Amino acid sequence: TEDASFWSNPGINWKGLARAGWENFFPGELGVLQGSGGSSITQQLVKNVYIPPEERTERSIDRKLRETVYALELTRKYSKEQILEWYVNQISYGGIYNGVEAAAMGYFGKHAKDLDLAESALLAGIPACPTCYDPVAYPDAAVRRRNQVMTLMLEHGPRIQVGPDDYITVTAEQVYLSAATPLTATQRKFPVQAPHWVFEYIKPQLEELYGEEALYRGGLNVYTSLDLDLQKKGEEIVEKWVSEFESTSGGHNGALVAIDPNTQEILVYVGSRNYFDESIQGQNDNAQAWNSPGSSLKPFTYATTFEELGWGPGTMILDSEVSYPDADGTMFTPRNPSGNFQGPITVRNALGNSLNVPAFKAILYVGVDRVVEQMQKMGITFPPEQSVGPSLTIGGVDVRLADVTFAYTVFPNMGKLRGVPTTDNRIRPVSILRIENGAGEVIWPVTEDHQVHLTERQVLDPANAYLITSILTDPKAHCITYGCGALTIDRPMGVKTGTSEPYENSRSIGDTWTYAYTPHIVAGAWAGNADNSPMVNITSTSISYRTARDMVVAFEENLEPAAFARPEGITNDVKLCVPSNLKADDDCRFAGPPDLLATKNLPKKDDDWWRKTKVDVRTGYVAGPDTPSRYAVELFALVPPEGIPPFWLAQAIDWAKALRVAVVGAKPPEGDAATIPVDIRAPADRSQVSGQVSITGRAQSADFIAYRLEYIAGDPPTELNWTLISRSTTAVADGVLGAWDVSGLPAGTYTLRLVLEDKKRGELSIFVAVQVSGNYAGRPPTATPKPGKKTPTPETSATPAATATPTP
């Protein structure tokens, strides 16, 4: 596969050399010296033995000439058997294996001399690209390469030279049967500490710095940040809690990452419960695998609202039903862990209790793009092909445990992201402390003192970072979901959990997460299955919380408790008005409790959404000059300013409904100015009625729910107890609204009211006064119904106009 003429050539492959020469000097689209190498086995050996590592990847005539001369001289001095032995004993066979004996023992658990045809062909195909054809990492590619090698054997057969005078015979039947053999290569257990750290985290960085050649044959000594004593403790903690719940949850795996926020060094990196356990896909590095994070990203959403909207822990959110269209057009309606709504709730209690609906509303308030941008600034990455929507904040996107653990260091670090820069202008935590070459010379870091120097970026205002920590360390903010004090230890510790439910039409659990931190340590834990199979009977506090908590406790064992440093620029005596989030004044009808707030987020003005205004009760908008005086009613109402985002306006309307107050729009939207949703055509105002009265008119709007007909004695009414005539859920454009039997009423003046229930504007109304004539003429008017006549009792309102509400 590498050099078909090896046994007969003088150390160079003339055909391959000629092809390489043509491709490199008459290259067409490839470019000069960009063609194939054409190297023989002897030339490859020469390159790995005589050519310095830094020159091996060069494509130069000088290097090729030296390689050719050395190969010719090597062949003159040594036997072909010796050259082949040197070659197969030092080339890479993928993974961690150099040399064919190591690869045979590692993949198949047998000596190279005992391999069968299929196993031999698989190993023979790997050196062409050790990374591509690694049978553990890429089994399908390894099998295709194995079968390609056996096809080459047939093409060069049936007699294949295996020595100067030795041959084997290969038949089509042998090749066919071998090609049909299932792959049996596995990673045998070998002595190694922190294998995921070595192979999945450090190895790629070395390849990025120096290339694969240097990694396998450069003689590098690499010193990393891992604390092996703490690593062993972390592995024991993961094993303890996974095994504790394994039989009841169906969860078989866990991962743990711990970072010192002061040095930004990764101290613990447990990628799975057992690297060598194939039954749990132990080689999968779950610290870097993409998984759904549940609620563990909510702090980043709220941090963005603090930065962009001036929110704080005392800002109020209405925990009520909300829906949003998914990418496919279907409506998504988030639910809280308990399934219940809390109504008005502070950000402190919403985040501390991990309520989904308030977090979903928070990301709609501030915008998904702004939250994504903030997360990326804090070191979180997302799969490039994955679309991101508002469900991001409750687990609707995949992330990596190691990334998010790093991002959580921003909170104890006063809003700073600190680490080492990457080639793509990002920052990552410290993992490599020093690299020496084979001669013991320090080749990294390339600084004068050969020490790692941290890059620092202020990605979050220090005060806002502290406010998040204030919430996550507050035991009183956990009471609804977890129980007061359930997530605490004997010192300040911030905690955020997460539970994913990624399966359609199922409440089964996919992953559970917890991030816990003190001023000394940040720990992130994941529990689940590497094959994404579901779990049951488990929550985030079962395995992942206990794992992260115990890691923090183990690290803090000999340390004095430390409080989180409180930066300047925080106040705690400001009340924010609902729903404007402006400073509450005397006119504000509802405000959140005093709580911490960044002084830079102090509102620039007092609330001006609550004010007395004249409202056209027929439309729900501010009364204009054409509004009849009887329908222009002055009330204290919520008047959202023009131009606010649609979602903000919709929430203002919901707040008004929850607070049972009027909310009005300053002016109707385009096309609505001349349209009054409610109108009574008959009976006419001030007309006389008797017997059965037919009521006609209009009750129709774009967001129609229903309409009601009601009456009450007097004009204006002296009481507020309206009597229901009828209610209908069918809109009427222009026609009969209902019938009113007045035959049993005492004679006198009555007010007839039509009330339209609108999804967005609330209740809109119009009324007329009529004179009832009958057997009781001359008696004082009264609202007392005829004896024996059943009269429904409707809900009451403050005034006929007090129920008017707006259009968004």
Side-chain angles (χ1 to χ4, degrees):
T1 61
E2 296 296 306
D3 184 4
S5 64
F6 171 76
W7 294 106
S8 58
N9 68 44
I12 56 176
N13 182 339
W14 293 112
K15 288 184 179 180
L17 201 60
R19 183 189 71 248
W22 178 265
E23 289 180 357
N24 282 286
F25 293 101
F26 301 95
E29 296 180 0
L30 289 174
V32 175
L33 297 177
Q34 297 304 307
S36 60
S39 296
S40 66
I41 282 178
T42 312
Q43 286 173 288
Q44 292 181 47
L45 179 63
V46 164
K47 182 176 70 172
N48 292 331
V49 174
Y50 296 107
I51 305 298
E54 62 271 18
E55 296 180 22
R56 290 175 189 168
T57 57
E58 291 181 1
R59 288 181 175 271
S60 66
I61 298 174
D62 175 69
R63 198 211 81 189
K64 205 66 179 176
L65 286 174
R66 279 186 293 149
E67 197 178 276
T68 300
V69 171
Y70 288 163
L72 291 170
E73 185 67 6
L74 205 64
T75 304
R76 189 181 69 81
K77 284 191 173 184
Y78 298 99
S79 69
K80 288 284 188 177
E81 292 94 327
Q82 180 63 76
I83 293 172
L84 186 61
E85 179 183 320
W86 282 333
Y87 176 78
V88 298
N89 280 338
Q90 76 112 249
I91 58 175
S92 171
Y93 282 91
I96 62 167
Y97 302 119
N98 282 353
V100 70
E101 179 72 0
M105 293 298 296
Y107 291 133
F108 302 110
K110 61 176 73 173
H111 296 290
K113 66 184 179 66
D114 297 324
L115 298 174
D116 62 23
L117 178 61
E119 294 163 344
S120 300
L122 185 135
L123 292 190
I126 293 176
C129 183
T131 302
C132 313
Y133 301 131
D134 180 333
V136 174
Y138 305 104
D140 292 340
V143 167
R144 287 194 298 270
R145 176 63 174 162
R146 178 197 70 182
N147 295 345
Q148 184 184 37
V149 169
M150 288 190 288
T151 301
L152 285 171
M153 293 171 69
L154 274 182
E155 291 176 359
H156 288 277
R159 295 179 74 243
I160 297 176
Q161 189 172 7
V162 295
D165 301 307
D166 298 319
Y167 296 84
I168 61 171
T169 300
V170 179
T171 66
E173 182 181 10
Q174 283 179 299
V175 171
Y176 176 80
L177 291 174
S178 296
T181 303
L183 179 66
T184 58
T186 60
Q187 187 88 61
R188 262 65 181 183
K189 189 167 185 178
F190 52 87
V192 61
Q193 299 187 80
H196 288 102
W197 174 251
V198 173
F199 304 129
E200 307 299 334
Y201 201 86
I202 298 299
K203 175 173 169 278
Q205 293 183 57
L206 298 176
E207 290 177 330
E208 181 183 330
L209 285 170
Y210 305 112
E212 195 172 305
E213 285 286 329
L215 174 66
Y216 289 113
R217 284 174 284 279
L220 303 178
N221 293 311
V222 183
Y223 298 82
T224 79
S225 62
L226 209 71
D227 182 324
L228 282 178
D229 292 333
L230 207 59
Q231 172 74 13
K232 183 178 179 182
K233 183 66 177 176
E235 291 169 353
E236 291 172 353
I237 291 171
V238 170
E239 175 60 33
K240 173 184 177 180
W241 292 116
V242 172
S243 60
E244 175 82 12
F245 291 90
E246 187 171 17
S247 62
T248 56
S249 70
H252 307 292
N253 218 330
L256 175 65
V257 176
I259 301 175
D260 182 336
N262 300 295
T263 65
Q264 293 302 117
E265 294 177 6
I266 299 178
L267 305 178
V268 176
Y269 191 96
V270 182
S272 79
R273 179 185 181 186
N274 185 341
Y275 182 83
F276 297 100
D277 187 346
E278 293 182 26
S279 69
I280 61 168
Q281 297 184 328
Q283 288 186 28
N284 285 12
D285 182 4
N286 298 293
Q288 291 195 86
W290 298 107
N291 284 305
S292 172
S295 299
S296 62
L297 300 184
K298 287 174 183 171
F300 304 102
T301 293
Y302 286 110
T304 309
T305 67
F306 293 2
E307 289 282 291
E308 301 293 331
L309 305 180
W311 285 18
T315 297
M316 299 292 293
I317 302 179
L318 185 61
D319 182 16
S320 61
E321 184 172 320
V322 64
S323 296
Y324 194 84
D326 277 336
D328 60 3
T330 59
M331 298 302 292
F332 171 68
T333 303
R335 60 189 178 208
N336 287 325
S338 66
N340 299 322
F341 295 116
Q342 301 298 320
I345 192 168
T346 62
V347 165
R348 178 177 295 276
N349 286 321
L351 174 56
N353 288 289
S354 197
L355 301 182
N356 291 335
V357 176
F360 192 80
K361 288 188 174 183
I363 198 172
L364 291 175
Y365 268 114
V366 73
V368 175
D369 291 345
R370 303 300 297 145
V371 174
V372 169
E373 182 181 343
Q374 183 64 45
M375 288 183 179
Q376 290 173 331
K377 286 198 298 184
M378 295 175 73
I380 297 175
T381 57
F382 304 100
E385 72 283 356
Q386 193 166 51
S387 61
V388 179
S391 60
L392 153 72
T393 192
I394 55 176
V397 69
D398 288 342
V399 294
R400 299 188 284 207
L401 175 70
D403 280 356
V404 182
T405 306
F406 181 42
Y408 267 86
T409 66
V410 170
F411 299 128
N413 276 338
M414 297 285 197
K416 293 176 180 176
L417 185 69
R418 304 164 66 230
V420 292
T422 64
T423 54
D424 56 357
N425 199 36
R426 295 176 59 245
I427 294 178
R428 65 184 170 207
V430 177
S431 55
I432 298 175
L433 303 179
R434 187 170 78 257
I435 303 174
E436 298 173 355
N437 62 19
E441 300 166 332
V442 177
I443 59 175
W444 194 91
V446 286
T447 54
E448 189 173 337
D449 60 358
H450 297 310
Q451 299 294 315
V452 174
H453 296 283
L454 299 181
T455 295
E456 191 174 275
R457 295 176 186 169
Q458 191 76 48
V459 296
L460 190 63
D461 183 83
N464 288 332
Y466 179 82
L467 296 185
I468 294 295
T469 294
S470 168
I471 296 171
L472 298 182
T473 57
D474 183 357
K476 294 180 181 178
H478 300 149
C479 300
I480 298 172
T481 299
Y482 306 97
C484 300
L487 306 180
T488 59
I489 57 175
D490 65 347
R491 60 198 63 205
M493 178 179 73
V495 177
K496 185 68 198 76
T497 66
T499 303
S500 72
E501 297 180 10
Y503 310 104
E504 289 189 18
N505 304 316
S506 171
R507 296 301 301 270
S508 295
I509 303 303
D511 313 87
T512 69
W513 312 66
T514 296
Y515 298 92
Y517 64 94
T518 70
H520 304 131
I521 188 72
V522 178
W526 168 89
N529 290 310
D531 62 358
N532 294 319
S533 57
M535 300 184 293
V536 294
N537 304 321
I538 193 171
T539 68
S540 54
T541 56
S542 304
I543 301 175
S544 58
Y545 167 68
R546 288 175 165 90
T547 300
R549 177 201 63 192
D550 287 3
M551 187 74 264
V552 169
V553 170
F555 185 86
E556 297 262 343
E557 186 176 10
N558 298 314
L559 298 176
E560 289 295 321
F564 291 95
R566 175 168 169 163
E568 296 180 354
I570 296 177
T571 182
N572 60 355
D573 59 356
V574 178
K575 293 176 69 175
L576 300 175
C577 194
V578 174
S580 67
N581 208 46
L582 298 174
K583 188 176 180 180
D585 59 9
D586 292 340
D587 288 336
C588 177
R589 288 301 185 261
F590 191 74
D595 205 332
L596 303 178
L597 186 69
T599 53
K600 84 178 190 81
N601 292 342
L602 285 172
K604 301 297 189 290
K605 63 178 183 178
D606 289 350
D607 176 76
D608 58 0
W609 289 31
W610 293 93
R611 62 177 187 263
K612 281 187 176 179
T613 186
K614 285 195 172 182
V615 178
D616 186 334
V617 294
R618 302 169 303 169
T619 64
Y621 300 117
V622 173
D626 297 332
T627 304
S629 59
R630 69 182 307 181
Y631 298 126
V633 179
E634 185 175 67
L635 14 124
F636 208 95
L638 183 62
V639 187
E642 294 181 33
I644 63 173
F647 180 74
W648 292 29
L649 185 54
Q651 286 303 295
I653 295 169
D654 284 352
W655 269 111
K657 292 178 182 177
L659 300 176
R660 297 183 178 276
V661 296
V663 56
V664 299
K667 65 178 183 180
E670 216 47 51
D672 278 5
T675 303
I676 297 176
V678 289
D679 186 27
I680 296 177
R681 305 277 171 80
D685 191 36
R686 308 295 170 182
S687 62
Q688 295 231 359
V689 296
S690 62
Q692 288 284 340
V693 181
S694 177
I695 305 170
T696 62
R698 178 173 62 251
Q700 185 181 50
S701 69
D703 298 287
F704 174 87
I705 298 174
Y707 70 85
R708 304 192 306 270
L709 292 169
E710 302 169 339
Y711 75 90
I712 196 169
D715 177 30
T718 57
E719 302 177 36
L720 298 179
N721 188 21
W722 292 82
T723 300
L724 180 68
I725 299 171
S726 63
R727 184 178 184 272
S728 173
T729 56
T730 302
V732 176
D734 187 8
V736 176
L737 297 169
W740 178 22
D741 182 3
V742 302
S743 60
L745 294 178
T749 302
Y750 291 81
T751 299
L752 171 66
R753 181 169 73 164
L754 167 63
V755 181
L756 184 143
E757 301 167 20
D758 185 275
K759 186 177 181 180
K760 293 183 177 178
R761 295 193 235 181
E763 293 189 346
L764 311 175
S765 60
I766 192 171
F767 41 88
V768 296
V770 295
Q771 188 70 34
V772 173
S773 58
N775 296 330
Y776 296 91
R779 296 187 184 181
T782 173
T784 304
K786 180 179 180 181
K789 186 178 181 66
K790 186 176 180 180
T791 305
T793 303
E795 293 183 6
T796 62
S797 56
T799 69
T803 53
T805 49
T807 219

